[in-house]
Amino acid sequence: MNVRPFHVLLVEDSLTDATIIRESLDFGPRPVNVTVTRSLAEARATLRDFTPCLAIVDLFLPDGRGIDLLPNGQEEIDFPTIIMTGHGDVEAAIEAMKGGAIDYVTKSPEALVAMPRTVERVLREWDHIAERKKAEQALQAANRQLQNIIEFLPDATFVTDRENRVIAWNRAMEEMTGVPKEELLGRGNYDYAFAFYKTRRPLLIDLLDKPDPEIESTYDQFKREGRTLYAEGFVPNLHNGKGAYLWIKASPLLDEQGNRTGSVESIRDLTERKQAEEELLKANRELDAFVYTVSHDLRSPLTPIIGFADLLIDNAQDRLSANDVECLENISRSGKRMITLMEDLLALARVGQVEFPDDPVDSGAVVNEVVSSLAGQLVQAGVSVNLDSLPSLRIPKSLLVQVFDNLIGNAFRYGCKPGDVIEVGGERKGDKVRFFVRDHGPGIPDAERDRIFEVFYRGMTGKAKDGTGIGLATVRKIARLFGGQAWIDETPGGGSTFRVELVDAPSAPSGH
Ligand code: ADP
């Protein structure tokens, strides 16, 4: 086997010592090529031509100190060095180690003879150092890559390692906190004034480590989706002296075995949005109150107007012209229309706050009730209602009545001819309940699909019929109030399918 020669540079001015070392190396475990130099200058000249596998350097040389050959921590050394010191020169030894020597030996005949063992030890140490360096470089490259990945994410995002040191911190994070990444990278210091975040982060990290439902229930401020956690809340005192509403998302970084090696965390400042939402909510409540009062007060004078018009028609008919009677009938009809409008508006305004009933409401029973109240008209028109099984849910019954009253009423008025069938059904998926009311009538043109849910908007199909344009607005308002939505799908083969999704309340806590 052709073993590559192991080059040793020996820097030693004592010929005797040099000979002892060389001979002892000759008896060592590996074939060795020794180059002996006797001064610093000579050693430097030799190093310009070749790089040894190892250097053994005497501390005291005729033209200087052996440690001056070391790069002094400034640059990388590409070979391991052993420094030989005089007896008791501990300080020089320490200095040599600091300068980058791997080991030192105190010169004695025994130490010189034992040199091969020292060499083997130093080589092993040198290998370890190289491995550590390589691992560190790989880690740094990985961290740089993480930094690149998160750098331009819109959310303020940072990455930490297992020891909670920040290893990446993006631009949005710098903007949000005013803390540049250079100040944090490699540190675990979260004193950047996220009071809310700081107090919750330990829990968050705990939860990332232990996906345990029991622990989870004690930290109910967090929501979990897969292994990602979410939290949001108000922070009373942020760095700008004002409060803020923050949203936080944290996902674990996992290694191949599924162990957590760190975490990726994002923070969103929802303060402005939250404020806007609250203002909107307040404005809506005020508007509801206004609409309620106005429609209530405007309704009162209508009753006598209609009453007197009807009275005149009855009592003075023979003294009036046909035209006069028609005018009075018009007054009465318009008045009644106005009452309907007021009633619809009142219903819309009453859809106010979410109040969950204690017991689930049987929506099948609600639909039956609505259908019964329409029974006369349905029978007369030869229209039937087909009922699927319907889920129960916790939403005030009066609101559910309004939903089905409007949808079934519309299907009947706008979507049915004699012999037609209206289909009503619903299903539950988790906490979401989705109802539908389907007819096989003319359907809703694309352009109107959204608009017919607006207050007072009446569609093409409504032109020939009486109506206020408030019914579907009420349906959508109820759906939204319960965290859901109302929309239209086409019925295959023609017609419209109105869908209403509602989020059911969590079931009432037992024993109250
Ligand atoms: P209104 O019935 O008082 O007009 P709505 O808000 O209930 O008010 O309905 C708005 C419009 O949507 C109606 O004027 C009508 O044009 C249209 N529409 C509602 N339901 C249907 C339906 N099932 N088929 C066709 N058009 C419908």
Side-chain angles (χ1 to χ4, degrees):
M1 199 171 75
N2 192 4
V3 180
R4 267 188 56 209
F6 187 77
H7 274 287
V8 173
L9 174 66
L10 181 58
V11 191
E12 172 60 84
D13 57 331
S14 150
L15 211 57
T16 329
D17 290 351
T19 310
I20 298 172
I21 293 169
R22 166 177 264 177
E23 276 172 5
S24 74
L25 287 178
D26 276 344
F27 287 100
R30 60 177 87 218
V32 179
N33 241 338
V34 183
T35 305
V36 182
T37 56
R38 303 186 58 185
S39 68
L40 261 185
E42 207 183 321
R44 285 198 174 112
T46 310
L47 281 176
R48 271 197 288 276
D49 293 336
F50 91 116
T51 305
C53 303
L54 176 93
I56 302 171
V57 184
D58 192 8
L59 184 60
F60 299 106
L61 293 163
D63 55 347
R65 283 148 47 91
I67 50 176
D68 292 340
L69 211 58
L70 296 167
N72 213 354
Q74 301 300 321
E75 34 191 303
E76 293 280 307
I77 321 172
D78 36 23
F79 53 88
T81 303
I82 301 168
I83 292 284
M84 295 182 291
T85 66
H87 213 68
D89 201 350
V90 181
E91 258 165 55
I94 292 171
E95 203 185 328
M97 300 295 280
K98 275 192 193 150
I102 301 295
D103 208 347
Y104 71 95
V105 288
T106 310
K107 257 195 191 177
S108 66
E110 302 81 53
L112 296 186
V113 170
M115 194 56 91
R117 253 185 291 140
T118 310
V119 166
E120 292 309 311
R121 197 177 62 232
V122 163
L123 289 178
R124 270 198 307 277
E125 175 62 19
W126 181 252
D127 280 350
H128 285 155
I129 291 174
E131 263 164 41
R132 272 205 301 275
K133 247 189 230 156
K134 224 161 109 190
E136 211 164 280
Q137 275 166 359
L139 191 67
Q140 271 167 9
N143 290 353
R144 265 198 306 278
Q145 209 171 358
L146 274 174
Q147 177 70 43
N148 287 340
I149 291 169
I150 69 163
E151 184 69 345
F152 293 106
L153 288 182
D155 283 330
T157 301
F158 66 100
V159 183
T160 61
D161 66 10
R162 181 76 237 192
E163 275 75 46
N164 285 327
R165 284 180 302 235
V166 176
I167 51 179
W169 181 264
N170 77 350
R171 208 168 262 217
M173 198 73 203
E174 291 184 323
E175 268 162 33
M176 180 186 258
T177 58
V179 181
K181 57 168 108 19
E182 292 73 30
E183 246 175 62
L184 274 158
L185 289 187
R187 284 186 223 159
N189 179 6
Y190 296 99
D191 285 341
Y192 41 83
F194 276 151
F196 166 84
Y197 193 54
K198 244 173 44 183
T199 53
R200 277 161 186 81
R201 194 172 181 279
L203 306 186
L204 193 96
I205 293 301
D206 215 10
L207 266 190
L208 284 182
D209 278 338
K210 298 171 223 157
D212 178 343
E214 218 164 279
I215 300 174
E216 203 127 331
S217 64
T218 61
Y219 300 153
D220 56 358
Q221 58 256 70
F222 294 107
K223 264 194 274 168
R224 176 188 285 288
E225 242 169 64
R227 292 205 58 169
T228 298
L229 296 169
Y230 300 88
E232 59 179 73
F234 190 75
V235 191
N237 281 309
L238 217 70
H239 50 94
N240 58 7
K242 288 189 230 140
Y245 191 90
L246 297 183
W247 172 92
I248 292 166
K249 173 183 163 186
S251 312
L253 281 178
L254 303 173
D255 65 12
E256 273 137 40
Q257 284 79 44
N259 301 316
R260 196 176 71 80
T261 58
S263 61
V264 185
E265 293 161 63
S266 295
I267 302 172
R268 220 177 271 172
D269 188 346
L270 297 184
T271 316
E272 273 172 33
R273 196 158 95 195
K274 203 75 186 167
Q275 270 163 2
E277 265 170 30
E278 259 155 36
E279 270 156 31
L280 190 68
L281 217 64
K282 200 170 138 227
N284 275 339
R285 270 201 296 271
E286 279 166 5
L287 189 67
D288 280 352
F290 173 75
V291 170
Y292 187 86
T293 317
V294 167
S295 42
H296 192 266
D297 291 355
L298 288 185
R299 206 169 169 267
S300 318
L302 277 174
T303 319
I305 290 176
I306 298 163
F308 286 127
D310 287 348
L311 197 73
L312 268 181
I313 296 171
D314 284 351
N315 291 352
Q317 211 166 27
D318 43 356
R319 277 172 284 145
L320 296 171
S321 69
N323 206 1
D324 294 339
V325 173
E326 207 181 301
C327 284
L328 285 172
E329 278 168 354
N330 247 327
I331 291 175
S332 172
R333 207 176 319 117
S334 300
K336 282 173 189 152
R337 207 178 110 66
M338 187 126 176
I339 283 192
T340 315
L341 191 66
M342 294 288 140
E343 269 164 3
D344 285 358
L345 273 178
L346 273 173
L348 178 68
R350 262 193 226 116
V351 181
Q353 257 137 25
V354 189
E355 259 177 51
F356 297 109
D358 284 343
D359 297 316
V361 172
D362 176 356
S363 49
V366 168
V367 174
N368 274 324
E369 211 171 283
V370 169
V371 173
S372 309
S373 70
L374 289 169
Q377 300 173 60
L378 289 167
V379 169
Q380 206 179 4
V383 169
S384 55
V385 178
N386 223 341
L387 244 190
D388 239 20
S389 69
L390 285 156
S392 297
L393 79 164
R394 283 160 26 95
I395 160 176
K397 191 181 161 205
S398 60
L399 296 184
L400 211 54
V401 168
Q402 282 194 58
V403 168
F404 285 114
D405 195 34
N406 279 305
L407 294 182
I408 297 173
N410 280 351
F412 173 62
R413 282 190 298 153
Y414 305 118
C416 284
K417 27 182 217 315
D420 275 0
V421 178
I422 299 169
E423 291 147 53
V424 183
E427 59 176 355
R428 168 187 288 277
K429 270 205 185 117
D431 60 348
K432 290 199 179 94
V433 170
R434 198 182 270 192
F435 295 113
F436 71 86
V437 173
R438 175 176 300 139
D439 64 57
H440 303 276
I444 317 277
D446 270 357
E448 286 187 352
R449 291 256 163 108
D450 221 36
R451 298 215 62 191
I452 57 164
F453 287 100
E454 287 170 18
V455 190
F456 302 131
Y457 188 87
R458 308 212 56 227
M460 292 269 292
T461 46
K463 287 271 152 34
K465 308 242 163 69
D466 272 350
T468 60
I470 298 172
L472 290 178
T474 310
V475 171
R476 177 167 275 185
K477 190 174 170 185
I478 292 169
R480 288 194 173 153
L481 198 65
F482 285 85
Q485 189 53 274
W487 70 99
I488 303 168
D489 283 337
E490 220 158 305
T491 298
S496 34
T497 301
F498 282 80
R499 293 191 197 278
V500 176
E501 188 176 271
L502 302 155
V503 180
D504 198 4
S507 55
S510 54
H512 69 108

